[in-house]
Amino acid sequence: MASDQDQTLMREAIRLMRDAGVVNKTGGPFGAVIAKDGQVVAAAGNSVVKDLDPSAHAEVNAIRAACKKLGTWDLSGCVMYTSCECCPMCYATAYWAGIRTVFYAAAWSDYSDLFSDQEINEDMQHAKDKREIKLTQILQGEACEVWKEFRLLPDGARY
């Protein structure tokens, strides 16, 4: 159940959505807010077009800003409010950041005529040899040698 505070924070994400997609045209209409204990830690809109960066989705931008502000890669305890259901990249970024609660406004089906989040998700469910992006594994042994070295580090950067 969403509280009044949750709705207020979502309205900020929707405001950022409009700014990014309609007013400033920095990218698609997507906005995101990261909050901790009900306080905004970071907020951002999509800036794919402005930054010439296909990873500059609102959620990723907000997560990056929150990590910098809090001085950590671990956003456990934070809540993300996003104007639209997370695409696979944004979902994965939230997952790796430790965010376990996400509120979203529009669903993939609400804008499927414009963005292909469902198509990407479905493509990732296919066997590797049936995906849109051709994946070819090479030099596995050399890469695994580095993993062996990393496993031996007592202070490895595990997250």
Side-chain angles (χ1 to χ4, degrees):
M1 189 74 157
S3 68
D4 289 344
Q5 183 178 55
D6 293 325
Q7 291 181 33
T8 297
L9 292 166
M10 181 60 78
R11 284 190 178 96
E12 176 61 11
I14 293 169
R15 185 191 68 75
L16 292 164
M17 169 195 194
R18 187 171 190 283
D19 283 352
V22 178
V23 177
N24 299 317
K25 299 180 181 126
T26 58
F30 302 94
V33 172
I34 306 291
K36 187 163 189 169
D37 301 322
Q39 299 299 308
V40 174
V41 175
N46 184 299
S47 62
V48 168
V49 174
K50 181 184 92 165
D51 294 341
L52 304 176
D53 179 354
S55 72
H57 290 198
E59 298 92 335
V60 173
N61 289 341
I63 289 169
R64 287 174 179 159
C67 289
K68 285 181 182 170
K69 183 171 183 178
L70 296 176
T72 182
W73 54 265
D74 184 2
L75 298 181
S76 296
C78 289
V79 176
M80 182 162 66
Y81 300 84
T82 177
S83 62
C84 299
E85 187 175 359
C86 292
C87 74
M89 177 183 69
C90 294
Y91 180 93
T93 304
Y95 181 94
W96 283 111
I99 296 170
R100 293 298 179 264
T101 302
V102 175
F103 289 92
Y104 68 94
W108 288 348
S109 58
D110 294 325
Y111 53 89
S112 61
D113 59 318
L114 300 167
F115 292 94
S116 63
D117 291 337
Q118 182 66 41
E119 290 174 21
I120 294 167
N121 188 59
E122 289 171 3
D123 186 57
M124 291 178 68
Q125 305 307 311
H126 293 126
K128 289 178 187 173
D129 64 339
K130 303 290 186 204
R131 293 183 190 171
E132 187 76 22
I133 295 175
K134 183 180 178 190
L135 299 171
T136 305
Q137 186 174 24
I138 62 172
L139 301 177
Q140 179 183 14
E142 291 180 29
C144 287
E145 287 300 317
V146 176
W147 280 114
K148 285 180 188 176
E149 290 179 64
F150 184 78
R151 282 185 182 94
L152 297 175
L153 295 174
D155 61 345
R158 291 183 175 85
Y159 53 91

